[in-house]
C-alpha cells in the first residue's frame, strides 16, 4: 500500500454540488464553534492531542474547514491525499495520537449531521468516510515519510 493506492481510492469520491459547498462554507463559524466545544469537552482530550495542544487543535479544526471548503469547490484527489498526509504527519510530530483522527472524524460527522441539510451531509460524508477508513494507511505512510525525513537529517 502506498500513496498511489490512496489517490486511486480518492479518485472514486464525487465532486459535491455547488449548493453543498456553499452550505458548508456558510456554516463555517457555527460548525467550528460546535466542534471545538465538543472536542475540548472530552475527558480524554489530552490523551488524544498531548499536553498544551488545545490551541493547535482549534487551529487544525479551522484549517480543516477551510481546506475542505476548497476541496468541495474544486476537487483534486492528489491535493486531497497529499494534504491529509501532510496534516497527519505534522500533527503527529506535535504529539497528536492516531486516535485523535478517529475521534475528530466522528465528531465532525455529528456536527455536520446537526448543522447541515441532509443533502449536504450525504454529499460530504464519503470524504470523511474515506479518511476514517484510511487512518491505518495514513499512519503507515506518514510514518514512512517521517522516517525518510529523519534519515535525511542524519546524513
Amino acid at each position: 500500500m502506498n500513496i498511489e493506492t490512496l489517490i486511486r481510492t480518492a479518485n472514486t469520491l464525487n465532486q459535491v454540488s455547488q449548493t453543498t459547498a456553499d452550505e458548508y462554507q456558510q456554516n463555517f463559524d457555527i460548525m467550528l464553534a460546535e466542534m471545538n466545544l465538543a472536542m475540548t469537552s472530552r475527558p480524554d482530550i489530552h490523551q488524544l492531542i498531548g499536553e498544551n495542544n488545545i490551541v493547535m487543535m482549534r487551529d487544525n479544526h479551522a484549517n480543516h474547514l477551510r481546506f475542505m471548503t476548497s476541496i468541495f469547490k474544486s476537487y483534486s484527489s492528489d491535493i486531497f491525499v497529499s494534504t491529509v498526509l501532510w496534516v497527519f504527519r505534522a500533527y503527529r510530530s506535535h504529539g497528536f495520537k492516531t486516535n485523535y483522527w478517529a475521534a475528530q472524524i466522528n465528531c465532525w460527522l455529528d456536527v455536520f449531521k446537526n448543522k447541515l441539510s441532509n443533502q449536504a451531509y450525504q454529499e460530504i460524508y464519503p470524504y470523511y468516510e474515506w479518511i476514517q477508513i484510511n487512518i491505518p494507511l495514513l499512519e503507515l505512510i506518514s510514518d514512512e515519510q517521517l522516517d525518510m525525513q529523519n534519515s535525511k537529517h542524519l546524513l
Side-chain angles (χ1 to χ4, degrees):
M1 295 285 207
N2 55 27
I3 294 173
E4 290 76 26
T5 302
L6 288 172
I7 293 170
R8 190 172 54 255
T9 61
N11 278 331
T12 66
L13 297 170
N14 295 320
Q15 176 73 50
V16 304
S17 67
Q18 186 65 45
T19 302
T20 290
D22 290 344
E23 182 180 343
Y24 189 92
Q25 184 173 26
Q26 290 164 358
N27 285 284
F28 181 102
D29 290 333
I30 195 162
M31 293 187 310
L32 180 60
E34 189 168 318
M35 178 64 170
N36 285 336
L37 178 61
M39 289 298 289
T40 55
S41 298
R42 289 180 63 110
D44 63 344
I45 192 60
H46 293 292
Q47 287 81 29
L48 294 173
I49 67 170
E51 294 298 323
N52 301 315
N53 280 333
I54 294 292
V55 171
M56 183 177 273
M57 179 191 71
R58 288 179 177 172
D59 286 345
N60 175 56
H61 296 160
N63 291 335
H64 172 86
L65 288 171
R66 283 186 202 95
F67 170 68
M68 293 305 287
T69 297
S70 70
I71 286 295
F72 293 151
K73 289 183 179 267
S74 181
Y75 182 60
S76 165
S77 58
D78 291 342
I79 292 170
F80 180 60
V81 169
S82 63
T83 303
V84 170
L85 278 169
W86 177 86
V87 168
F88 219 81
R89 190 172 58 249
Y91 282 83
R92 288 178 62 225
S93 72
H94 285 280
F96 285 65
K97 307 297 183 232
T98 303
N99 290 344
Y100 164 73
W101 276 272
Q104 177 193 200
I105 296 303
N106 287 333
C107 193
W108 277 126
L109 290 172
D110 288 343
V111 168
F112 301 148
K113 194 164 242 177
N114 292 328
K115 299 302 176 194
L116 298 176
S117 68
N118 187 53
Q119 178 66 33
Y121 179 81
Q122 294 302 320
E123 286 187 47
I124 67 170
Y125 178 84
Y127 288 82
Y128 290 88
E129 180 183 43
W130 182 91
I131 295 169
Q132 188 82 292
I133 288 169
N134 285 294
I135 287 173
L137 187 53
L138 293 164
E139 178 181 22
L140 178 68
I141 293 171
S142 64
D143 281 350
E144 289 171 357
Q145 291 174 336
L146 277 172
D147 290 345
M148 286 174 36
Q149 191 176 31
N150 290 337
S151 68
K152 286 180 186 176
H153 292 297
L154 295 175
L155 297 177

